[in-house]
Amino acid sequence: MPKPKIAFIDDEQRILRSLKMHFRQSHDVFTTTDPEQLIEYVSQHDVQVVISDQRMPDKQGTEVLREVKEASPNTIRILLTGYADLNAVIDSVNEGEIYRYITKPWQNDELKKVVDKATEIAQQTRDVAAPITESTSSRRNRHVLVLDDDEDVYLQIKQHFDSAYQVSWASNLDDASTLLQKQKFGVAIADVTLNGDNIAPVVYALKNLQPDLMMLMLTEFKDAHMIIDLINKGQIYRCLPRPTNLTIMGISLDRAYQHHEALVQQPILAARHHVEDVPESETFDLSSKLKGFFNKFKGWRWGRA
């Protein structure tokens, strides 16, 4: 059986040599410093995983991975960088739809674990991936949850998108848990802070429970490391600016719901949004409200639209 293919792009040859040495036993490894050469390679070969450095002389890694997505949609994309650059982090999820964001210096065992999982997912889903088509579900079946303590945000979204979506609102975690147990939502729009609590672990858990739930995160774009965690642990679909830009949100919401429907039609594709269980270390110090929300996860059965 041929080895799965992996491609690395970095402007430093020593890094490429190190990566090739680390993966040559398990993968058919292609390395390059040239973005055009990379795109040509992934266009002509069945490449399971591409890992790109962010800071390169000719193109940023986020731009390279966006082109990889266009040339080979089935290839799983990972960004490898020594800089937690906020704009790069945002672009990596909004443009490149990456699987993981890994910072240098990396741990070999951790990188190997991520790459092996990405390779497995790519192989599992290679023959079932299909282009995302226009939404065919009726309005009453397109449910969106707004999880935000600012009622004005909810009202803006509801009024602007009421003709296309059924929009529900939860201003706290009790309301959210009630709604989520009654109704299956395709998209959730949430701020990472709710009533003073950082609810990132809730986002991780929601994605773990329902991989086809597309998460649109509202943020003021201040904390690159927080967004990296939302990508790696919550597989968020988009990061959107706060205050809300309804034009950008409309585009993102439509694409997110189409993606949700594709995952519902072919559930195996949800593996591409694989996340790990929420680490106990991240839930240990949560407030009582957050702990109560997690306790309600036990025995959950998602409702059907």
Side-chain angles (χ1 to χ4, degrees):
M1 176 180 289
K3 293 179 182 178
K5 288 181 169 58
I6 188 169
F8 295 96
I9 181 169
D10 197 296
D11 62 333
E12 295 187 50
Q13 286 288 355
R14 64 176 182 84
I15 289 179
L16 293 176
R17 286 194 297 268
S18 174
L19 290 167
K20 186 168 187 175
M21 183 180 300
H22 191 61
F23 286 96
R24 63 186 179 184
Q25 290 188 340
S26 59
H27 289 74
D28 180 354
V29 181
F30 174 83
T31 63
T32 183
T33 60
D34 183 352
E36 291 185 7
Q37 191 177 47
L38 174 70
I39 300 303
E40 181 180 1
Y41 181 77
V42 299
S43 299
Q44 296 175 358
H45 299 84
D46 182 18
V47 181
Q48 276 69 53
V49 181
V50 166
I51 299 183
S52 175
D53 184 36
Q54 170 59 9
R55 293 194 175 185
M56 295 181 290
D58 298 325
K59 285 185 179 179
Q60 298 288 286
T62 49
E63 185 179 356
V64 171
L65 292 181
R66 185 182 69 241
E67 293 179 4
V68 169
K69 182 182 73 171
E70 294 170 355
S72 180
N74 293 337
T75 299
I76 292 184
R77 301 164 295 278
I78 297 172
L79 192 67
L80 184 66
T81 179
Y83 306 90
D85 180 271
L86 185 57
N87 290 331
V89 177
I90 298 296
D91 288 345
S92 70
V93 62
N94 288 357
E95 300 295 333
E97 294 182 6
I98 66 167
Y99 174 70
R100 292 291 187 268
Y101 189 111
I102 297 176
T103 54
K104 299 177 182 177
W106 66 86
Q107 298 294 320
N108 283 336
D109 290 346
E110 184 63 26
L111 180 60
K112 186 70 164 60
K113 179 181 177 182
V114 170
V115 167
D116 286 348
K117 187 63 180 181
T119 302
E120 175 189 336
I121 292 169
Q123 291 175 322
Q124 287 177 344
T125 60
R126 177 176 54 196
D127 298 327
V128 297
I132 298 173
T133 58
E134 292 296 323
S135 175
T136 56
S137 63
S138 64
R139 173 184 172 278
R140 68 182 181 84
N141 288 326
R142 294 197 294 266
H143 290 272
V144 174
L145 173 65
V146 176
L147 183 55
D148 199 296
D149 52 26
D150 187 342
E151 185 175 8
D152 288 339
V153 171
Y154 158 67
L155 292 174
Q156 270 190 309
I157 293 171
K158 181 172 177 59
Q159 291 167 7
H160 197 79
F161 300 109
D162 190 57
S163 62
Y165 297 97
Q166 294 275 9
V167 181
S168 300
W169 177 45
S171 62
N172 56 67
L173 291 176
D174 284 340
D175 290 349
S177 63
T178 299
L179 287 169
L180 286 162
Q181 290 178 80
K182 289 182 178 179
Q183 179 63 58
K184 182 170 182 178
F185 293 90
V187 177
I189 301 171
D191 193 319
V192 76
T193 302
L194 186 70
N195 298 311
D197 281 314
N198 181 339
I199 64 166
V202 170
V203 174
Y204 310 156
L206 285 175
K207 193 65 179 180
N208 185 281
L209 284 167
Q210 188 187 343
D212 60 35
L213 177 66
M214 297 294 102
M215 299 295 306
L216 305 182
M217 301 304 300
L218 300 177
T219 175
E220 294 181 349
F221 297 162
K222 292 181 179 179
D223 190 339
H225 293 285
M226 177 195 72
I227 299 172
I228 289 172
D229 279 348
L230 287 168
I231 294 169
N232 290 348
K233 300 174 184 177
Q235 275 291 284
I236 58 173
Y237 186 72
R238 291 289 187 271
C239 274
L240 304 177
R242 189 180 182 105
T244 307
N245 182 315
L246 293 174
T247 300
I248 294 175
M249 179 175 286
I251 295 170
S252 298
L253 180 55
D254 289 344
R255 289 178 179 173
Y257 218 96
Q258 289 168 18
H259 200 76
H260 161 74
E261 290 181 327
L263 299 187
V264 170
Q265 292 166 12
Q266 300 188 79
I268 194 171
L269 293 181
R272 289 178 169 265
H273 298 270
H274 164 78
V275 295
E276 305 291 345
D277 290 335
V278 182
E280 289 186 11
S281 60
E282 294 195 30
T283 61
F284 183 77
D285 293 328
L286 295 178
S287 70
S288 58
K289 291 179 182 178
L290 286 174
K291 287 180 179 178
F293 187 81
F294 275 104
N295 288 335
K296 291 181 181 180
F297 281 178
K298 297 175 181 178
W300 260 21
R301 293 295 181 269
W302 293 93
R304 295 182 178 274

